[in-house]
């Protein structure tokens, strides 16, 4: 007997579209694969920007992962709500965010919060606010290893900044953060060489600080593309995020990684504009609209369909003459980039054994939960 495709939902008629659906069994398998791929679970610091939900976070906690990374105050608060005890806000806070971070520290005193800085002026502001709140904030220096969006290039200036941070009463420098998301060469051997070259000055800075008498800096490195490389590197924390749901982009671009696609968008044919085209309810508001139009989503049960137009609530697809699609047909879409797609939905529906079993609220898509 032919096996039913893993993604089909038996009671899909009860699911309005567009909808985000998550397959928890595949999420659990991805967490297992992640832990299996590193020598020590304590070296994992997954980024929660992909899932933004308490339920996915709790599955990681149940599996023994204790450290996390996030991009927003809301994500940091969600982690604290879930019982995480070590949270790195991988972002340099402005004054307003500093106030919110310090409030979180006061409300969750058992959580070890930290954030990024890349200059002395910001660090001084943070120190001043922390002193007023009778707190000390752990900080990582954000290193620019080629991403060229934030951070400081790993030169001697970093060593000088680290020493200056150590003199501020409300600041405690603990390490480096180096995100190398620009390294995506499809040839894994070349990606490895690029990654090693980008990491070398980070290690040299760490060694220099130890030689000056500092405690060995904690080094938080990488994302999904370089995770398997850093996982084999001793003494660093690794921060993949997309692994938990995976997506078409990484499935294609990172074939050496075994993670399963676990998040889809459900859409329906809502109109047949002419003899060759179909229109579905998957607009800009329902799937990440970055990148080239034809690469935003691939339909698992209709891979031949090609996107030719998209607006806020509609996606027009070329099906060709003689196609058999009808209004009401359900399509299962695999997003090219799952992280911003998840952020478009206030909730995801869980699917287990072919049935809709519940909802995971995307609680951290909001800019504010309570703090």
């Amino acid at each position: 007997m032919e096996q039913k495709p893993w993604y089909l939902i038996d009671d899909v008629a009860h699911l309005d579209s567009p909808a985000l659906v998550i397959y928890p069994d595949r999420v659990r398998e991805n967490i297992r694969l992640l832990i299996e791929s590193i020598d020590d679970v304590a070296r994992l610091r997954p980024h929660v920007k992909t899932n933004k939900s308490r339920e996915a976070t709790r599955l990681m906690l149940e599996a023994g992962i204790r450290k996390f990374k996030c991009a927003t105050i809301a994500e940091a608060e969600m982690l604290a709500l879930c019982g995480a005890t070590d949270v790195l806000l991988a972002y340099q806070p402005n004054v307003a965010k500093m106030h919110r971070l310090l409030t979180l520290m006061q409300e969750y005193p058992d959580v070890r919060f930290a954030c990024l800085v890349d200059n002395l002026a910001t660090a001084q502001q943070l120190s001043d606010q922390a002193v007023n709140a009778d707190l000390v904030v752990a900080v990582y220096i954000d290193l620019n290893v080629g991403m060229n969006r934030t951070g400081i290039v790993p030169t001697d200036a970093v060593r000088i900044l680290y020493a200056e941070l150590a003199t501020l009463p409300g600041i405690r420098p603990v390490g480096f953060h180096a995100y190398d998301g620009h390294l995506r060469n499809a040839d894994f051997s070349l990606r490895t060489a690029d990654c090693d070259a980008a990491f070398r000055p980070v290690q040299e800075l760490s060694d220099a600080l130890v030689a000056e008498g500092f405690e060995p800096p904690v080094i938080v490195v990488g994302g999904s593309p370089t995770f398997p490389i850093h996982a084999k590197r001793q003494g660093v924390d690794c921060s993949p995020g997309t692994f938990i749901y995976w997506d078409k982009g990484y499935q294609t671009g990172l074939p050496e990684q075994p993670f399963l696609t676990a998040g889809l968008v459900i859409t329906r044919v809502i109109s047949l504009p002419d003899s060759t085209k179909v229109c579905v309810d998957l607009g800009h508001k329902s799937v990440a609209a970055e990148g080239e139009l034809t690469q935003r989503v691939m339909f698992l049960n209709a891979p031949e369909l090609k996107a030719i137009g998209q607006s806020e609530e509609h996606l027009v697809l070329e099906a060709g003459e003689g196609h058999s699609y009808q209004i009401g047909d359900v399509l299962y879409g695999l997003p090219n980039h799952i992280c911003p797609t998840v952020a478009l939905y206030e909730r995801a529906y869980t699917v287990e054994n072919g049935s809709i079993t519940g909802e995971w609220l995307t609680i951290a898509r909001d800019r504010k939960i309570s703090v």
Side-chain angles (χ1 to χ4, degrees):
M1 180 182 295
E2 186 175 353
Q3 188 173 12
K4 183 178 73 172
W6 65 267
Y7 54 83
L8 288 185
I9 304 172
D10 296 332
D11 51 351
V12 73
H14 299 292
L15 185 63
D16 195 7
S17 59
L20 174 68
V21 294
I22 300 298
Y23 298 78
D25 288 345
R26 295 170 77 88
V27 172
R28 292 186 187 93
E29 177 63 7
N30 285 342
I31 295 170
R32 188 194 69 79
L33 289 168
L34 182 77
I35 294 172
E36 187 181 70
S37 63
I38 199 165
D39 61 332
D40 186 354
V41 69
R43 291 179 52 217
L44 290 173
R45 187 183 286 276
H47 203 314
V48 299
K49 69 182 178 64
T50 299
N51 69 79
K52 298 181 184 291
S53 79
R54 290 168 292 192
E55 292 82 0
T57 298
R58 287 169 181 152
L59 289 180
M60 288 187 280
L61 284 165
E62 290 168 7
I65 296 172
R66 292 291 175 263
K67 299 183 292 190
F68 297 89
K69 195 165 88 170
C70 61
T72 69
I73 297 295
E75 290 171 1
E77 183 173 0
M78 178 198 74
L79 287 165
L81 287 168
C82 290
T85 56
D86 192 323
V87 176
L88 169 58
L89 176 65
Y91 214 87
Q92 179 166 246
N94 56 34
V95 173
K97 282 186 173 61
M98 291 176 191
H99 174 73
R100 296 175 67 196
L101 176 60
L102 294 169
T103 300
L104 273 183
M105 293 177 66
Q106 291 169 329
E107 293 197 2
Y108 297 93
D110 295 331
V111 180
R112 294 186 297 275
F113 288 102
C115 69
L116 304 185
V117 296
D118 68 8
N119 68 90
L120 185 59
T122 297
Q124 183 69 65
Q125 288 180 319
L126 179 58
S127 176
D128 292 344
Q129 286 203 31
V131 168
N132 289 336
D134 196 26
L135 294 168
V136 176
V137 183
V139 298
Y140 292 74
I141 292 182
D142 188 18
L143 299 179
N144 177 9
V145 292
M147 196 72 186
N148 296 330
R149 62 183 187 188
T150 63
I152 179 173
V153 174
T155 63
D156 226 29
V158 176
R159 183 183 55 79
I160 295 170
L161 177 60
Y162 202 93
E164 290 173 328
L165 296 180
T167 68
L168 298 176
I171 291 291
R172 180 170 61 89
V174 296
F176 299 137
H177 173 267
Y179 178 60
D180 52 11
H182 61 296
L183 303 178
R184 301 188 180 202
N185 198 306
D187 185 320
F188 186 66
S189 62
L190 294 178
R191 196 187 326 149
T192 299
D194 290 342
C195 178
D196 289 343
F199 181 76
R200 192 170 300 114
V202 178
Q203 185 63 59
E204 291 171 353
L205 279 172
S206 177
D207 294 343
L209 286 174
V210 171
E212 291 181 12
F214 288 98
E215 290 292 319
V218 178
I219 303 176
V220 179
V221 289
S224 295
T226 55
F227 167 69
I229 304 164
H230 290 304
K232 291 180 171 57
R233 202 185 305 282
Q234 295 300 307
V236 301
D237 286 356
C238 301
S239 297
T242 310
F243 77 93
I244 198 160
Y245 294 159
W246 218 225
D247 57 25
K248 178 60 177 174
Y250 279 161
Q251 183 186 62
T252 301
L254 309 177
E256 76 284 348
Q257 300 195 38
F259 301 113
L260 308 176
T261 50
L264 301 179
V265 286
I266 304 300
T267 186
R268 285 182 171 85
V269 176
I270 58 170
S271 183
L272 303 173
D274 61 34
S275 62
T276 71
K277 298 179 183 62
V278 300
C279 180
V280 299
D281 53 359
L282 197 71
H284 297 150
K285 296 176 181 177
S286 307
V287 68
E290 61 186 345
E292 203 275 319
L293 175 61
T294 61
Q295 302 300 314
R296 293 172 187 173
V297 61
M298 187 271 286
F299 298 106
L300 298 179
N301 60 329
E304 78 283 0
L305 293 178
K306 179 181 178 182
I308 58 174
Q310 190 178 32
S311 54
E312 291 184 40
E313 311 288 355
H314 304 84
L315 177 65
V316 179
L317 305 163
E318 180 62 50
E321 289 285 358
H323 72 79
S324 59
Y325 294 101
Q326 300 293 323
I327 292 175
D329 284 352
V330 175
L331 301 181
Y332 294 79
L334 176 61
N336 190 67
H337 195 179
I338 190 67
C339 308
T341 297
V342 169
L344 296 171
Y345 292 86
E346 79 283 354
R347 71 193 66 227
Y349 296 91
T350 53
V351 178
E352 298 172 274
N353 297 317
S355 297
I356 302 165
T357 56
E359 299 178 3
W360 289 1
L361 296 181
T362 319
I363 185 175
R365 76 190 283 260
D366 295 337
R367 287 292 170 179
K368 178 179 179 181
I369 297 177
S370 69
V371 172

